[in-house]
Amino acid sequence: MCGIVGYAGNVLMPSRRPLEVCLQGLERLEYRGYDSAGVALTAPGVDHVEMRKKAGRLSNLVADIEARPLSEATVAIGHTRWATNGVPNDVNAHPHSSRDGKVAIIHNGIIENASQLRLDLQAEGYRFVSSTDTEVAAKLLGKIVDAVIEETGGPNLFEAMRRMSRMLEGAFTILAVDCRQPGVVVGARHDSPLVVGLGEGENFLGSDVAAFVAYTKTAMEIDQDQAVQVSSDGVVVTDFDGNVVPDSVIYEVDWDASAAEKGGWDSFMDKEIHEEPAAVQNTLLGRLDANGDINLDEIRIDPQDLKAVDKIIVIGCGTASYAGLVAKYAIEHWVRIPVEVELAHEFRYRDPILTPRTLVVAISQSGETMDTLMALRHAREQGSKVLAICNTQGASIPRESDAVLYTHAGPEVAVASTKAFVAQITAAYILGLYLAQLKGAVFRDEISQTLNYLKDMPAKIQWILDTQTDTIKEAAAQLVNANTVLFLGRHVGYPVALEGALKLKEIAYTFTEGFAAGELKHGPIALVDEGEPVVFIVPPARGRNMLHAKVISGIEEVKARGAYIIAVAEENDKDVERYADVIFWRPEAPTLMSPLVDVVPLQLFAMDMAKMKGYDVDKPRNLAKSVTVE
Ligand code: M6R
């Protein structure tokens, strides 16, 4: 939600053009928001910060700069916006400037006391041109910079930023530049992400490492309520009172810039779906020792504490919460302790029962989802341990958790989550099997058999990618004008139905609903009319064939009412062949593993349909990849 980038190069001999660094960083961060974009630059000897901003995609800004080039600079900040307050237009786009135009800021988050601050400033004669909270902060920062100059005789943007941060309520990451200090960019963060990129003779700031990974893979964490000043030759981190923080964590980013490029694919979503076999495989890597036991030393919770866990609550939002629902079936089955799954934004406000023996598992691709972050803070305050399943190194959620199990899906750029979903399920399965191993809830040979099944899953996903794409495309073409699509599944097929429905609604803008197939007769069947498309996730006929028979009955019932049936089913399922109009086949897999394959055709189906409708599948309207406001 809003992408932020900052760059400080050498004042005398810049190694790169700050504008280019910012524009490239914004291109990589555009998945965080794409309502408008803007940059602010400054250099020695100028009397105001130069700004340029445009509504719409980053390409609008780039075209505008090409038509009317900006001056050379030593430092720059850039912003790509997901509007929170104020419609997306040129005026509301960031940066915003101080009254005298000497200071410019960009901001991610929501400043909750902006209305009061605006009234106070208006009473002092300040005028506002936009309806954003960010402009309030810009005017306020300019005022504080002036006060600091009056007190000390010189500009000190860093000190001014700290003073302002103490006055702001809500969530914010703010970066600022001042033309009187053309060698520095300063920043501050509270409940919103910010990370530093450490270069040689240059330093970077970004909402996440994607902003600068093309230039450096060495990153430094900025913690909650810290401020930072970067120049070409140094980085200083303090708390909001000015106390220097000497020991910020520095780490190496474990992927390179090419991982966040399309690499020949026409969309990130297509690329990322095709990376799913690798996402599962890489998430399994390194988690088994030579004896075939699961080894999760990395999670840093005392095994005795984990052994004592008597309840798990999984929290997450959107796709991550559906991965949690899948995990519930597996973990309860293996570990025999109750697993609740709750949307993070609901969890926090219902006074959940949490004890030191409750393990809260926070699932998040980005690691920055504010709802999930707030929920995990609540759980920790109540004395429960929190384990994060996360795809983003160094993000707030893993940093604030007691332990983390990283998914190794690589950077996910498309707003619609795909490879992260299968990686999250894989990580949750490893966790479940590890708990079962610790508690002795499952025999060792069963654990190793289950792990073998899991190891086979990448090849099974690949089989779908290799054999089903034409059928899926034809089905998407057939249904491209459908107004509604229903998705039904049972057991682990239920969360897959929810995820299939979410994918289609978020990128093809088709009205969809996902239901537990057993609910059909309790209401949803009233929606079924002649030609209504209904997608069924069919469990295998082998094993728990009770489930299979029930889903087939559901198919028969809607078929009898004229529905158009699309089934995701295991190869050679004769019952499905009898009733379905279209079948997306998937290879044989144990029931608990089946979501890893069943979801793939639904992701492709949604992507194909969105493309046929002419939509940008990577950047669906109104959405952003990382939801950093509550
Ligand atoms: O980064 P997170 O996994 O915490 O994000 C959670 C949801 O916002 C995310 O899964 C969202 O639902 C996606 N748009 C789904 O495709």
Side-chain angles (χ1 to χ4, degrees), residues 316-322 363-372 389-390 392 397 412 414-418 420 424 499 502-503 506-507 620 623-627:
C317 300
T319 293
S321 74
Y322 301 149
I363 305 184
S364 174
Q365 188 287 130
S366 62
E368 296 294 350
T369 299
M370 183 56 76
D371 292 315
T372 309
I389 291 181
C390 184
T392 312
I397 289 173
E412 192 180 66
V415 165
S417 190
T418 54
Q424 284 160 352
E499 176 60 6
L502 176 63
K503 285 290 89 90
E506 70 179 333
I507 60 168
L623 289 174
K625 182 70 180 161
S626 172
V627 185

Side-chain angles (χ1 to χ4, degrees), residues 112 190-191 313-317 340-354 360 369-382 629-630:
E112 286 166 6
H190 173 77
D191 283 347
I313 305 181
V314 185
I315 52 172
C317 300
E340 294 169 14
V341 183
E342 190 148 1
L343 292 167
H345 35 87
E346 288 297 316
F347 168 83
R348 184 177 164 221
Y349 296 102
R350 74 166 172 88
D351 198 11
I353 299 167
L354 291 156
V360 172
T369 299
M370 183 56 76
D371 292 315
T372 309
L373 184 61
M374 290 300 178
L376 84 80
R377 282 185 190 164
H378 178 74
R380 293 193 75 200
E381 276 159 21
Q382 305 299 306
V629 290
E630 271 187 284

Side-chain angles (χ1 to χ4, degrees), residues 91-405:
V91 175
N92 287 335
H94 300 203
H96 289 275
S97 68
S98 58
R99 184 158 63 177
D100 58 10
K102 292 187 187 298
V103 174
I105 74 163
I106 51 176
H107 163 226
N108 173 24
I110 297 178
I111 298 166
E112 286 166 6
N113 58 340
S115 307
Q116 186 55 50
L117 292 169
R118 179 187 286 257
L119 288 174
D120 296 347
L121 288 164
Q122 277 168 336
E124 294 175 34
Y126 283 81
R127 295 283 163 264
F128 293 87
V129 292
S130 80
S131 40
T132 64
D133 51 353
T134 308
E135 191 189 2
V136 175
K139 299 284 186 284
L140 180 60
L141 187 62
K143 181 183 151 182
I144 300 173
V145 168
D146 291 346
V148 172
I149 292 174
E150 226 176 284
E151 279 168 35
T152 64
N156 187 339
L157 188 60
F158 199 18
E159 169 58 16
M161 176 65 88
R162 285 190 294 256
R163 286 191 196 178
M164 181 175 73
S165 299
R166 296 199 294 263
M167 297 170 70
L168 301 182
E169 289 165 18
F172 56 86
T173 297
I174 294 175
L175 298 190
V177 288
D178 182 336
C179 65
R180 288 156 292 196
Q181 291 182 272
V184 301
V185 180
V186 307
R189 65 158 291 214
H190 173 77
D191 283 347
S192 195
L194 179 62
V195 54
V196 179
L198 301 172
E200 279 181 22
E202 56 185 357
N203 286 299
F204 307 80
L205 289 160
S207 307
D208 64 48
V209 296
F212 50 72
V213 74
Y215 308 107
T216 178
K217 291 174 82 176
T218 308
M220 179 196 265
E221 293 180 357
I222 299 297
D223 272 329
Q224 175 75 336
D225 294 340
Q226 290 184 346
V228 57
Q229 172 171 293
V230 300
S231 58
S232 62
D233 54 3
V235 175
V236 184
V237 182
T238 69
D239 63 19
F240 286 171
D241 292 321
N243 302 304
V244 172
V245 177
D247 50 2
S248 301
V249 175
I250 294 178
Y251 61 97
E252 289 297 306
V253 181
D254 65 4
W255 49 271
D256 51 50
S258 64
E261 280 162 10
K262 280 191 198 152
W265 294 90
D266 77 342
S267 66
F268 279 106
M269 186 174 181
D270 209 354
K271 174 182 179 241
E272 287 161 8
I273 294 172
H274 283 81
E275 286 172 345
E276 288 183 350
V280 172
Q281 197 160 17
N282 292 340
T283 301
L284 285 170
L285 268 185
R287 264 118 192 201
L288 307 180
D289 67 18
N291 303 323
D293 286 332
I294 303 169
N295 186 340
L296 295 187
D297 286 348
E298 63 191 278
I299 67 175
R300 306 185 316 257
I301 297 183
D302 187 333
Q304 291 312 317
D305 288 343
L306 283 177
K307 237 172 145 172
V309 165
D310 62 3
K311 184 172 78 171
I312 293 177
I313 305 181
V314 185
I315 52 172
C317 300
T319 293
S321 74
Y322 301 149
L325 266 181
V326 173
K328 172 185 165 75
Y329 290 88
I331 297 178
E332 284 189 341
H333 178 72
W334 293 325
V335 191
R336 305 310 299 156
I337 57 172
V339 179
E340 294 169 14
V341 183
E342 190 148 1
L343 292 167
H345 35 87
E346 288 297 316
F347 168 83
R348 184 177 164 221
Y349 296 102
R350 74 166 172 88
D351 198 11
I353 299 167
L354 291 156
T355 74
R357 297 181 69 184
T358 309
L359 177 68
V360 172
V361 178
I363 305 184
S364 174
Q365 188 287 130
S366 62
E368 296 294 350
T369 299
M370 183 56 76
D371 292 315
T372 309
L373 184 61
M374 290 300 178
L376 84 80
R377 282 185 190 164
H378 178 74
R380 293 193 75 200
E381 276 159 21
Q382 305 299 306
S384 294
K385 290 259 187 292
V386 176
L387 182 145
I389 291 181
C390 184
N391 197 42
T392 312
Q393 244 183 319
S396 303
I397 289 173
R399 287 217 318 264
E400 294 199 25
S401 297
D402 296 284
V404 55
L405 201 53

